Amino acid sequence: MSESTRLPPLYALRAFESAARHSSFTRAAQELSLTQSAVSRHIRTLEAHFGCRLFERSGRQLILTEPAKLLLPGISEGFEALGRACSVLSVDEGALRLKAPSTLSLRWLLARLSRFRQANEGIEVQLTSAWMDSDHVDFIHEPFDCAVLLSHGRFPEEWESALLFQEWLIPVCSPEAAAEGPWDVQRLRETELLHPTPDRRDWRRWLQAMALSDDIPIRGGQVFDTLELGMAAAARGYGVSIGDLVMVSEDLQLGRTALPWPTAVASGEAYYLVWPKARRNPKRLSLLRDFLLAEVNAMTLPDVTYHS
């Protein structure tokens, strides 16, 4: 490495990043288990290397100079990258870190993961159940080995994926509401529609597929931010929500909810297990993928009419 490209000491860069993030030499010293004078010394080393001041004081406030503002983003990104690289080897090799939407986790995934652990002793799956308005995972900046996403299936080239099952939208209501008599367009028009998404897209998709958009207004009605809340409210008699056929299947079998209009419409999206090609624990990931696919093949869904 030439003199012009010689890097400053890593410890000095670390002290600078911490001090800049905290706007304090004292808090940086606490974070790095150093004395405040040691942090100051490291900053002076860095300033001597670059030939410029990195911090100014305004009263008790520590302020970044213009050169420091230019330096900080790259230094912060560099330490984040180092942390991610080291975490690959430092985490428990027996664990798979999985991210999944909250409703899917509660209504489908948890039971399958329990059976997976029983069938694969020694393999732990650490599940992070996340509310996601638009299902998303960032394998670079998030600490996950794999994820289950609701998606059209267009993923980055550096990912691999396995299709689990399609999303089928279907109206759901309480057993009492279903028992009151047959449902038709007039009754659906007079019933409060519950919307599991703020943009009301699920009811809109179902009504369009059924050619009922002009007959059933989707304005009004309670709006939720998760599929789970919409289905739970419908089961308690607050109206009719749009649910996912797979997600509501167990409640239907147990008589907790009912189908006022037993026609399921394909949303055009599906649930996928996804993971990066350059992945940790490839054997364990393969075991989880194969297990979930076998669980999907073994599912028995309610007898409904399918409309794609």
Side-chain angles (χ1 to χ4, degrees), residues 24 64 77 123 166 192 231 305:
S24 168
L64 290 173
E77 292 172 6
I123 301 180
Q166 291 187 343
E192 174 148 340
M231 292 190 293
T305 300

Side-chain angles (χ1 to χ4, degrees), residues 272-289:
Y272 293 83
L273 178 67
V274 299
W275 62 93
K277 291 179 179 177
R279 62 192 185 277
R280 190 178 65 94
N281 287 336
K283 183 176 181 180
R284 292 178 173 86
L285 267 170
S286 296
L287 286 172
L288 179 62
R289 176 202 60 202

Side-chain angles (χ1 to χ4, degrees), residues 68-110:
K69 291 177 183 179
L70 294 174
L71 178 65
L72 181 60
I75 298 301
S76 298
E77 292 172 6
F79 278 111
E80 287 178 5
L82 284 172
R84 290 192 301 271
C86 293
S87 70
V88 172
L89 297 181
S90 63
V91 297
D92 181 2
E93 286 296 322
L96 284 173
R97 300 164 297 178
L98 170 64
K99 181 181 183 181
S102 57
T103 301
L104 176 81
S105 297
L106 181 63
R107 290 184 172 260
W108 190 83
L109 192 54
L110 281 174

Side-chain angles (χ1 to χ4, degrees), residues 176-184 187 260:
E176 294 77 14
E180 290 173 359
W183 284 75
D184 54 18
R187 186 176 177 189

Side-chain angles (χ1 to χ4, degrees), residues 17-59:
E17 188 277 334
S18 182
R21 179 160 35 84
H22 291 294
S23 297
S24 168
F25 285 0
T26 301
R27 288 198 292 272
Q30 293 170 348
E31 179 180 78
L32 301 175
S33 298
L34 298 172
T35 64
Q36 183 176 343
S37 61
V39 171
S40 299
R41 187 167 59 254
H42 295 334
I43 298 302
R44 289 197 299 271
T45 297
L46 207 57
E47 290 176 333
H49 177 90
F50 290 116
C52 63
R53 294 290 298 275
L54 297 175
F55 293 98
E56 299 285 355
R57 285 197 176 275
S58 177

Side-chain angles (χ1 to χ4, degrees), residues 160-172:
E160 293 187 21
S161 65
L163 171 64
L164 297 177
F165 53 85
Q166 291 187 343
E167 181 185 47
W168 291 95
L169 301 175
I170 194 164
V172 295

Side-chain angles (χ1 to χ4, degrees), residues 136-239:
H136 173 78
V137 66
D138 183 344
F139 287 120
I140 295 177
H141 295 98
E142 294 182 291
F144 300 112
D145 300 302
C146 53
V148 177
L149 304 179
L150 178 64
S151 170
H152 291 289
R154 296 183 290 271
F155 301 118
E157 292 184 0
E158 59 270 21
W159 290 13
E160 293 187 21
S161 65
L163 171 64
L164 297 177
F165 53 85
Q166 291 187 343
E167 181 185 47
W168 291 95
L169 301 175
I170 194 164
V172 295
C173 67
S174 68
E176 294 77 14
E180 290 173 359
W183 284 75
D184 54 18
V185 174
Q186 181 62 30
R187 186 176 177 189
L188 190 59
R189 183 187 299 117
E190 296 171 353
T191 300
E192 174 148 340
L193 301 186
L194 306 176
H195 300 278
T197 58
D199 60 7
R200 307 168 194 259
R201 63 179 178 269
D202 291 338
W203 266 118
R204 185 178 293 108
R205 288 169 173 172
W206 191 86
L207 292 170
Q208 288 176 346
M210 298 294 292
L212 294 175
S213 297
D214 295 333
D215 300 301
I216 311 294
I218 64 170
R219 296 186 302 275
Q222 180 63 54
V223 175
F224 300 99
D225 61 358
T226 67
L227 194 65
E228 172 63 26
L229 286 174
M231 292 190 293
R236 287 164 174 76
Y238 294 108

